[in-house]
Amino acid sequence: MTKKVRLAFEMLESEMEKISGEELSGFKGGDGWGDCVFQSISFATGLSVSQIQQAYADHINTYGWSSQTAYNYVGIQGVSGSDVAWLMSQYGLSSGYYSTGGYNTSSSGDAGILLIDLDGNGTPDHAINVTGNANSTGYYTYDAQSSSGGTISMNDPRIVGSYGF
């Protein structure tokens, strides 16, 4: 590349608006449910999404990828289904969560994450947070990816996995 072209490119690059990796991940989303895992862990633990993504990137970097390639993969693809249990365990979340909190309450001791099968194929493709018991058969939920709340039956067949403290 000629010096003039390189200089022009560097000037253009310096004037372009820059966004953080966390913002970029929010725009790109993930692989349909991978990004929501980062969002749900962040909501449950109070850690930033980028901290959780970096920890996962460091983990997949052990596969022989460069640090930048691993972080870019995480931002685009999210969490591999085979790594969800590992990632949850890094933040003290154990499989087999069942809320024991009182009705209409929300406390950090009752925090949980549900893995949901939205397309009916039996495998999780979305993660949401439990924020408390709505009644004896349902949970209050928060979808950290879409910033929306709701409820779900404890026996909803779409729940295919759960993690909690």
Side-chain angles (χ1 to χ4, degrees):
M1 186 176 343
T2 68
K3 185 175 184 177
K4 187 175 182 180
V5 171
R6 187 174 57 239
L7 181 59
F9 180 73
E10 289 171 359
M11 287 176 61
L12 177 63
E13 185 179 36
S14 70
E15 292 181 20
M16 293 175 65
E17 184 177 347
K18 293 182 174 68
I19 61 173
S20 70
E22 186 171 342
E23 291 170 316
L24 183 59
S25 176
F27 294 137
K28 293 190 283 190
D31 68 359
W33 73 284
D35 183 61
C36 59
V37 172
F38 298 131
Q39 299 281 341
S40 293
I41 293 172
S42 173
F43 182 81
T45 64
L47 297 170
S48 74
V49 170
S50 62
Q51 285 176 294
I52 298 161
Q53 288 176 321
Q54 187 61 59
Y56 183 54
D58 291 345
H59 170 68
I60 65 172
N61 192 20
T62 63
Y63 301 153
W65 296 5
S66 73
S67 294
Q68 187 61 49
T69 300
Y71 192 77
N72 288 341
Y73 174 86
V74 167
I76 295 169
Q77 294 298 317
V79 180
S80 167
S82 62
D83 288 336
V84 170
W86 176 88
L87 186 61
M88 295 286 188
S89 72
Q90 300 309 295
Y91 300 97
L93 295 155
S94 302
S95 180
Y97 167 80
Y98 183 79
S99 175
T100 58
Y103 303 141
N104 298 315
T105 63
S106 178
S107 69
S108 59
D110 194 40
I113 296 173
L114 301 177
L115 302 180
I116 307 294
D117 172 17
L118 294 176
D119 60 13
N121 70 0
T123 59
D125 45 25
H126 195 55
I128 59 175
N129 294 87
V130 172
T131 60
N133 290 337
N135 53 47
S136 63
T137 60
Y139 296 129
Y140 285 120
T141 62
Y142 179 72
D143 185 333
Q145 191 175 46
S146 67
S147 300
S148 61
T151 59
I152 191 169
S153 168
M154 292 176 184
N155 300 315
D156 191 311
R158 296 174 300 166
I159 299 173
V160 293
S162 61
Y163 290 85
F165 294 107

